[in-house]
Amino acid sequence: MDFNNWTLLAGSRPQARVAEVGQRMLAWNVPPSQLVHIPEHWLVYPEPEASIHYLLGLLYMGFFVVACLGNGLVIWVFSTAKSLQTPSNIFVVNLAICDFVMMLKTPIFIYNSFARGYATGHIGCQIFAFMGSLSGIGAGMTNACIAYDRYTTIAKPFDGKLTRTKALFMVACIWAYTIPWGILPLVEVWGRFVPEGFLTSCTFDYLLDTFDNHLFVAVIFTFSYVIPMSLIIYYYSQIVSHVVSHEKALREQARKMNVESLRSNQNQQSTSVEIRIAKAAITVCFLFVASWTPYAVLALIGAFGNQALLTPGVTMIPACACKFVACVDPYVYAISHPRYRIELQKRLPWLAIKESANESQSTTTETSAAPPASTPTANT
């Protein structure tokens, strides 16, 4: 069938066509039966050059390999190493699972890119968007739980240690919170999943101009972005405030006692390791905020702003940012988590990782007693 000669029928929705000689529009190679699933907004844009599709496809291939390798190692090592099987690290594994799921959908994008369009059709689009919804919202709430864990460990060390049961319950709550936001648009009870940009990726429909869809965008924006980001900011701001106040009190006490520091060398070493772990957690959470903020802004513009600002190329920027963060997350832990590095060194010596066993042992990740008030720790 020759799709190049489709025309705009009077009184019907726009259909893909050739606007000028030699210029194809987006969805030029999409069968008419599939066009109903594509927002009209994208059908007025010209088809990008084939090299753009191929470049994005190669980029996503790189994302896929790097993210699956990194997150796969995190899931394997944290799940099987006894020294890392702590309640707090259940959240680390859950975050790696979310990032891993996010990258498992990239073969759909890669296939679409090399086919230059909506090649996997409506079914592929629904799978892609459903996996993206679960992994994205799940990662956000997992980061919020990690922030809560750091807060309770550092700011309230005597209020009770996080147990394995509590951590598993919190993970179950994360998925109970997340799954409805994937199912509702999947079955089109509220919202729907549609292709976006170059029609090679899919997400929830933020372009449909109806009251129900505007309400859906506002609600999912609140539950998937505002709530986890607010929790992350609150808990880490409390940690910073606590540490600053605590260090100030130590300095004042040391000055009164006419000594340089109240900390022993062992406590200083332990605190240094814990600060590295806390920095890793803060970095991961910052990456989440940085990666999903562009997508949140894009959705709000599509639903409530000037849709003309949303060109196909613009929408690919936040999509790539999210995939990039899913690649970076596990390597942040590889760089900053001493016990994880020790385990990698034992299991994969050819990686040539050099980590001091003494430094790893100084980490108070799984101490049986509550940490002393004079030494804030991060429970990872």
Side-chain angles (χ1 to χ4, degrees):
M1 181 182 294
D2 183 8
F3 297 120
N4 296 341
N5 296 322
W6 292 353
T7 58
L8 181 64
L9 302 178
S12 67
R13 70 192 309 276
Q15 292 190 357
R17 61 200 185 282
V18 175
E20 300 174 1
V21 176
Q23 183 182 21
R24 292 168 172 168
M25 308 300 287
L26 277 174
W28 67 272
N29 54 356
V30 177
S33 61
Q34 295 285 335
L35 281 176
V36 67
H37 304 299
I38 302 175
E40 297 180 10
H41 176 81
W42 306 118
L43 299 181
V44 301
Y45 290 96
E47 168 76 3
E49 296 294 333
S51 58
I52 300 297
H53 279 302
Y54 300 153
L55 180 62
L56 286 170
L58 291 173
L59 179 63
Y60 269 61
M61 288 175 68
F63 285 159
F64 179 78
V65 172
V66 173
C68 287
L69 177 62
N71 288 294
L73 284 174
V74 168
I75 295 170
W76 172 49
V77 174
F78 275 82
S79 299
T80 58
K82 291 184 178 180
S83 64
L84 292 171
Q85 291 179 356
T86 70
S88 295
N89 283 340
I90 291 175
F91 299 132
V92 175
V93 174
N94 195 62
L95 179 60
I97 290 173
C98 289
D99 289 341
F100 194 81
V101 170
M102 179 175 290
M103 300 312 296
L104 285 180
K105 66 178 184 173
T106 54
I108 295 175
F109 180 93
I110 295 169
Y111 181 82
N112 283 341
S113 293
F114 284 97
R116 300 177 61 184
Y118 198 52
T120 57
H122 183 62
I123 294 178
C125 180
Q126 299 305 293
I127 295 173
F128 186 96
F130 179 70
M131 294 175 69
S133 176
L134 294 186
S135 57
I137 300 175
M141 294 309 297
T142 302
N143 275 303
C145 288
I146 290 174
Y148 166 77
D149 176 52
R150 299 303 184 276
Y151 166 71
T152 56
T153 301
I154 293 176
K156 300 181 179 182
F158 295 106
D159 286 354
K161 191 177 182 180
L162 182 69
T163 65
R164 183 177 181 84
T165 300
K166 182 178 179 180
L168 290 173
F169 175 75
M170 292 175 68
V171 169
C173 289
I174 290 172
W175 288 105
Y177 180 97
T178 300
I179 289 174
W181 300 112
I183 292 179
L184 288 174
L186 180 67
V187 298
E188 298 191 8
V189 170
W190 196 17
R192 65 170 184 162
F193 291 136
V194 294
E196 66 171 347
F198 295 143
L199 310 185
T200 48
S201 64
C202 296
T203 186
F204 63 90
D205 189 353
Y206 48 78
L207 295 170
L208 186 63
D209 188 17
T210 66
F211 174 79
D212 282 346
N213 197 64
H214 289 172
L215 183 60
F216 173 76
V217 171
V219 171
I220 198 170
F221 169 77
T222 301
F223 279 81
S224 65
Y225 179 76
V226 175
I227 291 178
M229 187 180 69
S230 299
L231 292 172
I232 289 169
I233 292 174
Y234 171 76
Y235 288 128
Y236 279 119
S237 64
Q238 291 297 306
I239 291 173
V240 171
S241 175
H242 174 82
V243 171
V244 169
S245 299
H246 183 70
E247 291 298 322
K248 182 179 179 181
L250 286 180
R251 286 194 300 270
E252 288 293 328
Q253 186 65 24
R255 183 180 61 81
K256 291 178 181 179
M257 298 174 63
N258 198 27
V259 295
E260 183 177 351
S261 175
L262 294 179
R263 298 185 186 278
S264 66
N265 291 335
Q266 182 178 1
N267 281 343
Q268 287 177 349
Q269 184 184 26
S270 177
T271 302
S272 175
V273 175
E274 299 299 345
I275 288 175
R276 286 174 58 187
I277 296 173
K279 285 181 177 179
I282 293 174
T283 301
V284 169
C285 291
F286 170 78
L287 288 172
F288 162 77
V289 174
S291 65
W292 287 101
T293 297
Y295 230 133
V297 172
L298 181 145
L300 290 180
I301 292 175
F304 305 105
N306 182 9
Q307 295 185 355
L309 298 174
L310 304 182
T311 64
V314 167
T315 62
M316 294 308 303
I317 295 174
C320 291
C322 297
K323 306 305 179 295
F324 174 74
V325 170
C327 294
V328 171
D329 278 352
Y331 297 97
V332 171
Y333 281 105
I335 292 171
S336 304
H337 198 299
R339 288 190 174 183
Y340 177 54
R341 289 169 58 85
I342 284 288
E343 287 297 329
L344 281 181
Q345 182 176 305
K346 291 178 181 178
R347 296 163 184 246
L348 303 173
W350 50 270
L351 288 177
I353 297 173
K354 302 299 181 182
E355 182 68 33
S356 170
N358 291 332
E359 184 180 20
S360 176
Q361 291 170 359
S362 70
T363 306
T364 55
T365 299
E366 190 65 358
T367 54
S368 57
S374 61
T375 308
T377 58
N379 198 13
T380 300

